[in-house]
């Protein structure tokens, strides 16, 4: 039996903080002699005040749910196929 991904716990932040993410990127491209091109890029992402740990029991849709249609809400609440099926032991917590 595999316990991969089982019992991951962490403290939960208060509900008064608004979670947000920041993303950024920078890059450059330069042509060298002989028509050789050097291309370099950096992409970053930072999450602040994000929910983690046992946050799956929270209603994270919040007041913004009012702008969604009933079919969109249904889609957000529906289950999706397990992406780990066939890749991890079926008797472990991720195999169901």
């Amino acid at each position: 039996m595999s316990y991969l991904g089982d019992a991951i716990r962490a403290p939960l932040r208060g509900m008064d903080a608004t979670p947000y993410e920041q993303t950024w990127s920078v890059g450059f491209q330069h042509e060298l002699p002989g028509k050789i091109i050097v291309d370099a890029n950096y992409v970053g992402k930072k999450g602040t005040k994000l929910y983690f740990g046992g946050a799956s029991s929270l209603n994270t849709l919040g007041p913004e749910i009012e702008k969604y249609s009933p079919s969109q809400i249904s889609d957000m609440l529906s289950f999706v196929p397990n992406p780990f099926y066939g890749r991890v032991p079926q008797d472990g917590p991720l195999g169901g």
Side-chain angles (χ1 to χ4, degrees):
M1 178 176 216
S2 169
Y3 292 102
L4 179 67
D6 190 27
I8 298 173
R9 302 284 184 260
L12 209 75
R13 293 189 181 272
M15 295 300 292
D16 57 340
T18 302
Y20 64 94
E21 291 185 346
Q22 297 168 296
T23 58
W24 58 90
S25 64
V26 65
F28 76 91
Q29 202 174 60
H30 186 75
E31 185 175 355
L32 300 173
K35 296 189 177 187
I36 297 173
I37 295 180
V38 175
D39 186 7
N41 295 286
Y42 174 78
V43 177
K45 185 171 187 174
K46 177 186 179 283
T48 303
K49 301 177 184 172
L50 300 178
Y51 301 124
F52 56 97
S56 62
S57 63
L58 300 174
N59 179 4
T60 54
L61 295 177
E64 296 84 16
I65 196 169
E66 295 173 0
K67 64 184 175 184
Y68 296 109
S69 71
S71 67
Q72 288 173 316
I73 294 170
S74 176
D75 288 342
M76 287 188 275
L77 296 174
S78 64
F79 289 98
V80 296
N82 184 352
F84 297 108
Y85 184 79
R87 297 175 188 241
V88 297
Q90 297 305 300
D91 58 351
L94 297 177

